Amino acid sequence: MQVMGVFLCSSDFSNGTEFSDAFLTVSSVKKHTDKALFIAADDSERAVIKDLIEKCNVSFTANEKKSSYFDDYEIISLKESVPELLSALIFSGGFGVINQLTSFEKDGNDYMIDEQLFTLVSEIHKKRKSIGFVSQSSLLAPKLFDTSIRVTLG
């Protein structure tokens, strides 16, 4: 079974700014893989995302537009992620993951990335599995790979 990891951040959900990116990412993933596994930064983040998804499901049900995209999901924390189980990893848009798992806001171009995130991405990359970045999350790419990468946002 192919399991695609989708990294989500609650701040992107809760303020609504990047919910559409997350929804479109999950929609696409569900069409092209057996299972989407949502990955959150930590246990508290996992609980917040679960609550936000459940509210979304209730909203869709109330409007009689039942969504299959958030019906069957599992959320794990970054520390629980196992690279060998994932066929690919996608970072949905928004600055949430950048603000939570990097020092970008404080250090600018000299930012550091959370060690667990770096390890997860490195292991997936070593196995030549796909890694995708949507919107602002592409700012992670230059620090995650041992090569020169130019990223343009716009």
Side-chain angles (χ1 to χ4, degrees), residues 27-44:
S27 299
S28 178
V29 166
K30 289 272 193 152
K31 289 180 182 178
H32 299 289
T33 190
D34 297 327
K35 181 179 180 180
L37 179 64
F38 300 159
I39 302 170
D42 56 34
D43 291 334
S44 62

Side-chain angles (χ1 to χ4, degrees), residues 19-83:
F19 179 79
S20 59
D21 279 351
F23 182 81
L24 292 172
T25 300
V26 171
S27 299
S28 178
V29 166
K30 289 272 193 152
K31 289 180 182 178
H32 299 289
T33 190
D34 297 327
K35 181 179 180 180
L37 179 64
F38 300 159
I39 302 170
D42 56 34
D43 291 334
S44 62
E45 181 79 358
R46 177 174 57 182
V48 172
I49 291 173
K50 183 176 182 175
D51 183 55
L52 292 168
I53 288 173
E54 287 173 5
K55 286 178 183 174
C56 175
N57 278 343
V58 168
S59 171
F60 279 121
T61 303
N63 293 324
E64 296 182 22
K65 296 178 182 174
K66 187 70 173 152
S67 169
S68 61
Y69 301 122
F70 290 123
D71 287 346
D72 180 29
Y73 65 91
E74 179 182 355
I75 304 174
I76 62 170
S77 66
L78 180 57
K79 69 181 177 194
E80 297 171 304
S81 59
V82 179

